[in-house]
Amino acid sequence: MALPTGRDAVLTWAGVTDRGRKREINQDALLTVFPLFVVADGMGGHIGGEIASASAIDRLQRMVGKGAVSPQAIERALVKAVRDIGDHPETTDEGTGTTVTGVYLDLTAEEPTWVALNIGDSRVYLARDDALAQVTTDHSLVQELVASGRLSPEEAENHPYGNVITRAVGPSEGAVPDYVRLEVRDGDRFVICSDGLTKELTDYGILHFLRLHADPAAAADAMLEAALENGGRDNVTIVVLNVEVPGQRAEPAETERDAAASAESSTGAEPTE
């Protein structure tokens, strides 16, 4: 999709969700409506989690339809989602709630930026310069133990309390995400996923499938297939988002001319970008 950002930018994306091989129902939900891309992983009761994740996604989708996406608009939408969840008799379980994790493109400033948002233990990853980084920080008991130095990252991978999260959107929880702002860079690729993926696939595995598949749909499908083959112990939801900003890339001919000019110059002029 072309964006009015000073430079033309093109976004391509794809999302998949699956109940996995162990769960009876799928309590995950996803939203891919420009400029917002979100995964919600519900929890609680037989269908309480399904209602919770669907309520959050519904309210966020309505918000996108009304205008600009902002932290304030997101938080208002999530407050409404909390009320919606509480209106269902099936969500009376104290553990009912949902994660809400994703990114949106903020076009309100002179230069557009990405904003990652997170409540819970679903994740946003950024693949940049052939490396993968986790952008969000899990709201989980295990992450708190790692942060305090009481648990190593290796020990955390198979900890018995790995499913215990410390923040969620639900009747007994708040609705204020953490936010991380990121520059818009050509070639960036985001992966937004529920923990059904990260339970079955390492960060290196995620990067491996991004390297193999430039197309977002092919990458998401390959990750899903691998997660199911590795056990599929939970619902799995994946959104892959590609970012292209052709104006940020130097043309090969221009780069060669700049290099030649720099080699011949005695003033040490810096190459242009």
mmCIF file of all heavy atoms in Angstrom, residues 16 28-29 37-41 99 101-102 118 121-125 136 138 190-199 201 203 206 223 235-240:
data_model
loop_
_atom_site.group_PDB
_atom_site.id
_atom_site.type_symbol
_atom_site.label_atom_id
_atom_site.label_comp_id
_atom_site.label_asym_id
_atom_site.label_seq_id
_atom_site.Cartn_x
_atom_site.Cartn_y
_atom_site.Cartn_z
ATOM 1 N N VAL A 16 -2.097 -15.489 9.712
ATOM 2 C CA VAL A 16 -2.688 -16.828 9.802
ATOM 3 C C VAL A 16 -2.955 -17.140 11.274
ATOM 4 O O VAL A 16 -2.259 -16.638 12.164
ATOM 5 C CB VAL A 16 -1.773 -17.914 9.210
ATOM 6 C CG1 VAL A 16 -1.654 -17.767 7.712
ATOM 7 C CG2 VAL A 16 -0.395 -17.906 9.870
ATOM 8 N N ASP A 28 -7.300 -17.425 19.967
ATOM 9 C CA ASP A 28 -6.541 -16.315 19.386
ATOM 10 C C ASP A 28 -7.409 -15.539 18.407
ATOM 11 O O ASP A 28 -8.397 -16.054 17.880
ATOM 12 C CB ASP A 28 -5.321 -16.832 18.622
ATOM 13 C CG ASP A 28 -4.182 -17.285 19.521
ATOM 14 O OD1 ASP A 28 -4.345 -17.241 20.754
ATOM 15 O OD2 ASP A 28 -3.142 -17.704 18.978
ATOM 16 N N ALA A 29 -7.008 -14.294 18.152
ATOM 17 C CA ALA A 29 -7.647 -13.466 17.118
ATOM 18 C C ALA A 29 -6.590 -12.516 16.571
ATOM 19 O O ALA A 29 -5.573 -12.257 17.227
ATOM 20 C CB ALA A 29 -8.839 -12.699 17.686
ATOM 21 N N PHE A 37 -1.828 -3.485 13.159
ATOM 22 C CA PHE A 37 -1.646 -4.927 13.018
ATOM 23 C C PHE A 37 -1.476 -5.523 14.412
ATOM 24 O O PHE A 37 -0.510 -5.196 15.109
ATOM 25 C CB PHE A 37 -0.429 -5.213 12.135
ATOM 26 C CG PHE A 37 -0.477 -4.508 10.813
ATOM 27 C CD1 PHE A 37 -0.003 -3.198 10.694
ATOM 28 C CD2 PHE A 37 -1.044 -5.106 9.706
ATOM 29 C CE1 PHE A 37 -0.064 -2.519 9.480
ATOM 30 C CE2 PHE A 37 -1.110 -4.434 8.488
ATOM 31 C CZ PHE A 37 -0.633 -3.143 8.375
ATOM 32 N N VAL A 38 -2.415 -6.375 14.823
ATOM 33 C CA VAL A 38 -2.478 -6.818 16.213
ATOM 34 C C VAL A 38 -2.780 -8.306 16.300
ATOM 35 O O VAL A 38 -3.545 -8.845 15.483
ATOM 36 C CB VAL A 38 -3.572 -6.030 16.988
ATOM 37 C CG1 VAL A 38 -3.851 -6.646 18.353
ATOM 38 C CG2 VAL A 38 -3.157 -4.574 17.157
ATOM 39 N N VAL A 39 -2.200 -8.954 17.309
ATOM 40 C CA VAL A 39 -2.535 -10.324 17.693
ATOM 41 C C VAL A 39 -3.061 -10.295 19.125
ATOM 42 O O VAL A 39 -2.513 -9.597 19.982
ATOM 43 C CB VAL A 39 -1.293 -11.238 17.596
ATOM 44 C CG1 VAL A 39 -1.504 -12.551 18.343
ATOM 45 C CG2 VAL A 39 -0.948 -11.512 16.135
ATOM 46 N N ALA A 40 -4.138 -11.045 19.376
ATOM 47 C CA ALA A 40 -4.718 -11.163 20.717
ATOM 48 C C ALA A 40 -4.836 -12.640 21.063
ATOM 49 O O ALA A 40 -5.407 -13.419 20.298
ATOM 50 C CB ALA A 40 -6.087 -10.488 20.776
ATOM 51 N N ASP A 41 -4.307 -13.016 22.217
ATOM 52 C CA ASP A 41 -4.315 -14.406 22.690
ATOM 53 C C ASP A 41 -5.182 -14.473 23.938
ATOM 54 O O ASP A 41 -4.784 -14.016 25.015
ATOM 55 C CB ASP A 41 -2.873 -14.835 22.978
ATOM 56 C CG ASP A 41 -2.773 -16.264 23.500
ATOM 57 O OD1 ASP A 41 -3.822 -16.912 23.693
ATOM 58 O OD2 ASP A 41 -1.641 -16.732 23.731
ATOM 59 N N THR A 99 -4.184 -11.137 25.722
ATOM 60 C CA THR A 99 -3.046 -10.300 25.361
ATOM 61 C C THR A 99 -3.469 -9.390 24.216
ATOM 62 O O THR A 99 -4.410 -9.695 23.476
ATOM 63 C CB THR A 99 -1.844 -11.152 24.899
ATOM 64 O OG1 THR A 99 -2.148 -11.762 23.642
ATOM 65 C CG2 THR A 99 -1.514 -12.239 25.920
ATOM 66 N N THR A 101 -1.121 -7.315 21.346
ATOM 67 C CA THR A 101 0.243 -7.000 20.942
ATOM 68 C C THR A 101 0.271 -6.692 19.451
ATOM 69 O O THR A 101 -0.379 -7.391 18.664
ATOM 70 C CB THR A 101 1.178 -8.193 21.232
ATOM 71 O OG1 THR A 101 1.096 -8.532 22.616
ATOM 72 C CG2 THR A 101 2.613 -7.870 20.886
ATOM 73 N N GLY A 102 1.016 -5.650 19.066
ATOM 74 C CA GLY A 102 1.087 -5.355 17.637
ATOM 75 C C GLY A 102 1.881 -4.101 17.342
ATOM 76 O O GLY A 102 2.649 -3.604 18.179
ATOM 77 N N ASN A 118 2.072 -3.425 23.569
ATOM 78 C CA ASN A 118 2.028 -4.758 24.150
ATOM 79 C C ASN A 118 1.388 -4.787 25.526
ATOM 80 O O ASN A 118 1.714 -3.974 26.389
ATOM 81 C CB ASN A 118 3.440 -5.333 24.263
ATOM 82 C CG ASN A 118 3.431 -6.734 24.844
ATOM 83 O OD1 ASN A 118 2.739 -7.602 24.327
ATOM 84 N ND2 ASN A 118 4.172 -6.955 25.914
ATOM 85 N N ASP A 121 2.022 -11.617 26.851
ATOM 86 C CA ASP A 121 3.233 -12.300 26.404
ATOM 87 C C ASP A 121 3.225 -12.694 24.936
ATOM 88 O O ASP A 121 4.051 -13.504 24.511
ATOM 89 C CB ASP A 121 3.509 -13.535 27.270
ATOM 90 C CG ASP A 121 2.437 -14.613 27.132
ATOM 91 O OD1 ASP A 121 1.376 -14.333 26.532
ATOM 92 O OD2 ASP A 121 2.663 -15.726 27.640
ATOM 93 N N SER A 122 2.307 -12.147 24.151
ATOM 94 C CA SER A 122 2.484 -12.224 22.700
ATOM 95 C C SER A 122 3.631 -11.276 22.346
ATOM 96 O O SER A 122 4.013 -10.437 23.164
ATOM 97 C CB SER A 122 1.202 -11.837 21.971
ATOM 98 O OG SER A 122 0.159 -12.747 22.296
ATOM 99 N N ARG A 123 4.168 -11.397 21.153
ATOM 100 C CA ARG A 123 5.403 -10.660 20.865
ATOM 101 C C ARG A 123 5.388 -9.961 19.510
ATOM 102 O O ARG A 123 4.720 -10.389 18.574
ATOM 103 C CB ARG A 123 6.609 -11.618 20.891
ATOM 104 C CG ARG A 123 6.909 -12.180 22.265
ATOM 105 C CD ARG A 123 8.070 -13.152 22.231
ATOM 106 N NE ARG A 123 8.378 -13.642 23.567
ATOM 107 C CZ ARG A 123 9.299 -14.561 23.832
ATOM 108 N NH1 ARG A 123 9.992 -15.096 22.831
ATOM 109 N NH2 ARG A 123 9.513 -14.944 25.077
ATOM 110 N N VAL A 124 6.188 -8.891 19.434
ATOM 111 C CA VAL A 124 6.548 -8.257 18.171
ATOM 112 C C VAL A 124 8.043 -8.451 17.974
ATOM 113 O O VAL A 124 8.844 -8.130 18.868
ATOM 114 C CB VAL A 124 6.224 -6.749 18.171
ATOM 115 C CG1 VAL A 124 6.773 -6.088 16.908
ATOM 116 C CG2 VAL A 124 4.730 -6.512 18.273
ATOM 117 N N TYR A 125 8.401 -9.002 16.821
ATOM 118 C CA TYR A 125 9.800 -9.117 16.423
ATOM 119 C C TYR A 125 10.058 -8.198 15.235
ATOM 120 O O TYR A 125 9.165 -7.971 14.408
ATOM 121 C CB TYR A 125 10.125 -10.548 15.991
ATOM 122 C CG TYR A 125 10.204 -11.563 17.096
ATOM 123 C CD1 TYR A 125 9.102 -12.355 17.421
ATOM 124 C CD2 TYR A 125 11.385 -11.763 17.804
ATOM 125 C CE1 TYR A 125 9.178 -13.306 18.422
ATOM 126 C CE2 TYR A 125 11.470 -12.707 18.808
ATOM 127 C CZ TYR A 125 10.370 -13.479 19.116
ATOM 128 O OH TYR A 125 10.439 -14.421 20.114
ATOM 129 N N THR A 136 9.079 -6.150 21.868
ATOM 130 C CA THR A 136 8.254 -6.071 23.070
ATOM 131 C C THR A 136 8.885 -6.874 24.205
ATOM 132 O O THR A 136 9.701 -7.769 23.981
ATOM 133 C CB THR A 136 6.847 -6.608 22.791
ATOM 134 O OG1 THR A 136 6.952 -7.924 22.221
ATOM 135 C CG2 THR A 136 6.107 -5.699 21.821
ATOM 136 N N ASP A 138 7.890 -9.321 27.386
ATOM 137 C CA ASP A 138 6.798 -10.133 27.909
ATOM 138 C C ASP A 138 6.354 -9.659 29.288
ATOM 139 O O ASP A 138 7.185 -9.354 30.143
ATOM 140 C CB ASP A 138 7.226 -11.598 28.036
ATOM 141 C CG ASP A 138 7.535 -12.252 26.707
ATOM 142 O OD1 ASP A 138 7.260 -11.641 25.663
ATOM 143 O OD2 ASP A 138 8.045 -13.386 26.724
ATOM 144 N N PHE A 190 8.308 -7.180 10.167
ATOM 145 C CA PHE A 190 7.778 -7.423 11.507
ATOM 146 C C PHE A 190 7.115 -8.793 11.551
ATOM 147 O O PHE A 190 6.449 -9.202 10.597
ATOM 148 C CB PHE A 190 6.745 -6.359 11.882
ATOM 149 C CG PHE A 190 7.318 -4.999 12.134
ATOM 150 C CD1 PHE A 190 7.288 -4.026 11.131
ATOM 151 C CD2 PHE A 190 7.870 -4.669 13.363
ATOM 152 C CE1 PHE A 190 7.804 -2.760 11.360
ATOM 153 C CE2 PHE A 190 8.405 -3.414 13.590
ATOM 154 C CZ PHE A 190 8.366 -2.453 12.594
ATOM 155 N N VAL A 191 7.287 -9.470 12.670
ATOM 156 C CA VAL A 191 6.532 -10.675 12.978
ATOM 157 C C VAL A 191 5.803 -10.435 14.290
ATOM 158 O O VAL A 191 6.421 -10.118 15.304
ATOM 159 C CB VAL A 191 7.439 -11.914 13.113
ATOM 160 C CG1 VAL A 191 6.622 -13.140 13.538
ATOM 161 C CG2 VAL A 191 8.165 -12.194 11.805
ATOM 162 N N ILE A 192 4.480 -10.530 14.251
ATOM 163 C CA ILE A 192 3.642 -10.375 15.438
ATOM 164 C C ILE A 192 3.022 -11.745 15.693
ATOM 165 O O ILE A 192 2.434 -12.336 14.779
ATOM 166 C CB ILE A 192 2.549 -9.320 15.211
ATOM 167 C CG1 ILE A 192 3.156 -8.016 14.673
ATOM 168 C CG2 ILE A 192 1.773 -9.057 16.501
ATOM 169 C CD1 ILE A 192 2.149 -7.100 14.004
ATOM 170 N N CYS A 193 3.168 -12.269 16.905
ATOM 171 C CA CYS A 193 2.737 -13.649 17.107
ATOM 172 C C CYS A 193 2.289 -13.905 18.540
ATOM 173 O O CYS A 193 2.719 -13.235 19.472
ATOM 174 C CB CYS A 193 3.867 -14.619 16.752
ATOM 175 S SG CYS A 193 5.361 -14.403 17.739
ATOM 176 N N SER A 194 1.420 -14.904 18.682
ATOM 177 C CA SER A 194 1.055 -15.397 20.004
ATOM 178 C C SER A 194 2.123 -16.381 20.473
ATOM 179 O O SER A 194 2.982 -16.814 19.691
ATOM 180 C CB SER A 194 -0.322 -16.077 19.950
ATOM 181 O OG SER A 194 -0.294 -17.206 19.095
ATOM 182 N N ASP A 195 2.068 -16.743 21.755
ATOM 183 C CA ASP A 195 3.114 -17.621 22.279
ATOM 184 C C ASP A 195 2.976 -19.043 21.756
ATOM 185 O O ASP A 195 3.865 -19.869 21.980
ATOM 186 C CB ASP A 195 3.149 -17.596 23.801
ATOM 187 C CG ASP A 195 1.905 -18.199 24.450
ATOM 188 O OD1 ASP A 195 0.878 -18.368 23.765
ATOM 189 O OD2 ASP A 195 1.958 -18.475 25.666
ATOM 190 N N GLY A 196 1.891 -19.340 21.052
ATOM 191 C CA GLY A 196 1.794 -20.634 20.395
ATOM 192 C C GLY A 196 2.886 -20.836 19.360
ATOM 193 O O GLY A 196 3.269 -21.977 19.065
ATOM 194 N N LEU A 197 3.410 -19.734 18.793
ATOM 195 C CA LEU A 197 4.540 -19.842 17.877
ATOM 196 C C LEU A 197 5.848 -19.960 18.643
ATOM 197 O O LEU A 197 6.669 -20.839 18.366
ATOM 198 C CB LEU A 197 4.595 -18.629 16.942
ATOM 199 C CG LEU A 197 5.792 -18.638 15.972
ATOM 200 C CD1 LEU A 197 5.641 -19.758 14.949
ATOM 201 C CD2 LEU A 197 5.953 -17.289 15.278
ATOM 202 N N THR A 198 6.054 -19.087 19.632
ATOM 203 C CA THR A 198 7.347 -19.038 20.307
ATOM 204 C C THR A 198 7.567 -20.223 21.252
ATOM 205 O O THR A 198 8.696 -20.478 21.653
ATOM 206 C CB THR A 198 7.504 -17.711 21.066
ATOM 207 O OG1 THR A 198 6.368 -17.499 21.931
ATOM 208 C CG2 THR A 198 7.582 -16.549 20.087
ATOM 209 N N LYS A 199 6.504 -20.948 21.607
ATOM 210 C CA LYS A 199 6.685 -22.193 22.347
ATOM 211 C C LYS A 199 7.310 -23.275 21.477
ATOM 212 O O LYS A 199 7.939 -24.207 21.978
ATOM 213 C CB LYS A 199 5.327 -22.708 22.857
ATOM 214 C CG LYS A 199 4.749 -21.961 24.044
ATOM 215 C CD LYS A 199 3.358 -22.498 24.354
ATOM 216 C CE LYS A 199 2.722 -21.745 25.513
ATOM 217 N NZ LYS A 199 1.321 -22.182 25.734
ATOM 218 N N LEU A 201 8.960 -22.557 18.250
ATOM 219 C CA LEU A 201 9.971 -22.098 17.296
ATOM 220 C C LEU A 201 10.865 -21.076 17.993
ATOM 221 O O LEU A 201 10.374 -20.139 18.614
ATOM 222 C CB LEU A 201 9.273 -21.463 16.084
ATOM 223 C CG LEU A 201 9.978 -21.499 14.735
ATOM 224 C CD1 LEU A 201 10.263 -22.914 14.291
ATOM 225 C CD2 LEU A 201 9.123 -20.780 13.687
ATOM 226 N N ASP A 203 13.817 -18.025 18.199
ATOM 227 C CA ASP A 203 14.021 -16.795 17.433
ATOM 228 C C ASP A 203 14.801 -17.078 16.151
ATOM 229 O O ASP A 203 14.504 -16.516 15.093
ATOM 230 C CB ASP A 203 14.779 -15.757 18.271
ATOM 231 C CG ASP A 203 13.955 -15.235 19.436
ATOM 232 O OD1 ASP A 203 12.836 -15.755 19.665
ATOM 233 O OD2 ASP A 203 14.428 -14.324 20.135
ATOM 234 N N ILE A 206 12.466 -18.462 13.571
ATOM 235 C CA ILE A 206 11.652 -17.411 12.940
ATOM 236 C C ILE A 206 12.460 -16.699 11.858
ATOM 237 O O ILE A 206 11.992 -16.495 10.732
ATOM 238 C CB ILE A 206 11.147 -16.415 14.008
ATOM 239 C CG1 ILE A 206 10.155 -17.109 14.945
ATOM 240 C CG2 ILE A 206 10.512 -15.185 13.348
ATOM 241 C CD1 ILE A 206 9.753 -16.276 16.149
ATOM 242 N N MET A 223 6.066 -20.784 8.980
ATOM 243 C CA MET A 223 6.211 -20.770 10.438
ATOM 244 C C MET A 223 5.102 -21.558 11.117
ATOM 245 O O MET A 223 5.332 -22.304 12.076
ATOM 246 C CB MET A 223 6.210 -19.326 10.951
ATOM 247 C CG MET A 223 7.439 -18.533 10.615
ATOM 248 S SD MET A 223 7.312 -16.858 11.311
ATOM 249 C CE MET A 223 8.237 -15.939 10.096
ATOM 250 N N ASN A 235 -2.799 -22.591 20.569
ATOM 251 C CA ASN A 235 -3.222 -21.862 19.378
ATOM 252 C C ASN A 235 -2.032 -21.075 18.833
ATOM 253 O O ASN A 235 -1.208 -20.571 19.608
ATOM 254 C CB ASN A 235 -4.341 -20.879 19.713
ATOM 255 C CG ASN A 235 -5.504 -21.516 20.458
ATOM 256 O OD1 ASN A 235 -6.124 -20.859 21.298
ATOM 257 N ND2 ASN A 235 -5.828 -22.769 20.186
ATOM 258 N N VAL A 236 -1.967 -20.969 17.525
ATOM 259 C CA VAL A 236 -0.845 -20.277 16.880
ATOM 260 C C VAL A 236 -1.389 -19.181 15.977
ATOM 261 O O VAL A 236 -2.223 -19.435 15.112
ATOM 262 C CB VAL A 236 0.002 -21.245 16.029
ATOM 263 C CG1 VAL A 236 1.223 -20.531 15.464
ATOM 264 C CG2 VAL A 236 0.409 -22.477 16.831
ATOM 265 N N THR A 237 -0.911 -17.958 16.185
ATOM 266 C CA THR A 237 -1.311 -16.834 15.333
ATOM 267 C C THR A 237 -0.071 -16.038 14.950
ATOM 268 O O THR A 237 0.772 -15.735 15.804
ATOM 269 C CB THR A 237 -2.320 -15.925 16.040
ATOM 270 O OG1 THR A 237 -3.470 -16.698 16.400
ATOM 271 C CG2 THR A 237 -2.762 -14.779 15.136
ATOM 272 N N ILE A 238 0.029 -15.719 13.658
ATOM 273 C CA ILE A 238 1.222 -15.051 13.128
ATOM 274 C C ILE A 238 0.805 -13.988 12.123
ATOM 275 O O ILE A 238 -0.019 -14.244 11.243
ATOM 276 C CB ILE A 238 2.149 -16.055 12.401
ATOM 277 C CG1 ILE A 238 2.472 -17.259 13.289
ATOM 278 C CG2 ILE A 238 3.423 -15.371 11.935
ATOM 279 C CD1 ILE A 238 2.927 -18.479 12.501
ATOM 280 N N VAL A 239 1.371 -12.804 12.245
ATOM 281 C CA VAL A 239 1.252 -11.753 11.232
ATOM 282 C C VAL A 239 2.658 -11.400 10.778
ATOM 283 O O VAL A 239 3.538 -11.151 11.617
ATOM 284 C CB VAL A 239 0.545 -10.500 11.774
ATOM 285 C CG1 VAL A 239 0.557 -9.380 10.726
ATOM 286 C CG2 VAL A 239 -0.882 -10.821 12.194
ATOM 287 N N VAL A 240 2.897 -11.407 9.479
ATOM 288 C CA VAL A 240 4.172 -10.972 8.920
ATOM 289 C C VAL A 240 3.914 -9.718 8.083
ATOM 290 O O VAL A 240 3.016 -9.703 7.234
ATOM 291 C CB VAL A 240 4.819 -12.061 8.052
ATOM 292 C CG1 VAL A 240 6.119 -11.552 7.432
ATOM 293 C CG2 VAL A 240 5.084 -13.320 8.881
#
